[in-house]
Amino acid sequence: MENNKRKNYFDWDETFMQICHVIAQRSKDPNTQTGACIVSSDNVILGVGYNGFPRECSDDNLPWDRDGDFCDNKYAYVVHSEENAILNANSANLKEAKMYCSLFPCNECAKAIIQSGIKEVIYASDKYHDTDIWKSSRRMFDLAGVKYREYVPKYKIEFKK
């Protein structure tokens, strides 16, 4: 009996990274769109998130600027995609889960990832690798035993980084 199943289907890493890039398109940030997807050990999606302002805070009333005084730029207000994915998981148990993210997590997100019990982070881009905030993320992940690895695509698919 010949098996004619399709050969070039997405594996789980590709599937969840695609979801990260799709959900990132919900972000209204004019500079950076990131997405995150948390999955259980048996590949069930537990939560997804993208970077944006908190619920009930109109994106028409807060700044998207990157520069200027703290209260006049987006960094005072934006919830990162990783934090949103954790919060959107509601009461799901994230212990031993994996998080896929389009961008390596910053130090604040690393703290939330560790505290939530996530044990592995798979990321598409680490463009801020040599910046102190991201150095501290790796340090905390190493201390907490959270594995992290760069996603290496098997197929040529263009993603915004």
Side-chain angles (χ1 to χ4, degrees):
M1 179 169 162
E2 188 176 335
N3 185 339
N4 293 324
K5 77 176 181 181
R6 190 170 145 233
K7 303 272 190 257
N8 60 345
Y9 58 90
F10 287 169
D11 63 16
W12 287 118
D13 279 357
E14 181 72 30
T15 300
F16 298 130
M17 196 56 72
Q18 288 279 354
I19 289 169
C20 288
H21 291 290
V22 168
I23 197 64
Q25 297 309 303
R26 285 280 309 137
S27 176
K28 295 176 185 173
D29 188 322
N31 298 297
T32 305
Q33 300 82 45
T34 62
C37 179
I38 303 171
V39 300
S40 67
S41 59
D42 54 349
N43 296 313
V44 173
I45 295 174
L46 302 174
V48 295
Y50 59 91
N51 60 311
F53 296 139
R55 288 185 180 103
E56 308 306 322
C57 292
S58 172
D59 50 46
D60 293 326
N61 297 324
L62 292 172
W64 285 110
D65 297 322
R66 297 170 77 163
D67 300 314
D69 293 335
F70 183 70
C71 290
D72 294 328
N73 71 52
K74 69 178 182 176
Y75 300 111
Y77 309 102
V78 168
V79 180
H80 290 182
S81 59
E82 299 91 339
E83 292 173 306
N84 266 325
I86 291 168
L87 294 168
N88 289 336
N90 292 318
S91 62
N93 184 352
L94 303 183
K95 189 174 173 136
E96 306 299 323
K98 295 185 287 190
M99 177 180 277
Y100 290 82
C101 23
S102 54
L103 185 61
F104 192 86
C106 73
N107 66 312
E108 293 299 322
C109 291
K111 293 177 209 177
I113 289 165
I114 293 164
Q115 289 296 93
S116 71
I118 292 169
K119 287 299 180 191
E120 185 175 8
V121 173
I122 302 95
Y123 59 92
S125 172
D126 191 10
K127 68 182 180 179
Y128 301 114
H129 183 273
D130 295 324
T131 306
D132 287 345
I133 289 172
W134 282 268
K135 288 178 183 177
S136 64
S137 294
R138 288 188 296 280
R139 184 176 187 182
M140 286 186 285
F141 284 157
D142 291 342
L143 289 169
V146 175
K147 296 186 293 186
Y148 50 92
R149 63 182 166 89
E150 183 176 6
Y151 164 72
V152 179
K154 291 188 169 100
Y155 305 104
K156 178 143 177 63
I157 298 172
E158 295 298 321
F159 293 128
K160 278 178 83 174
K161 288 191 177 183

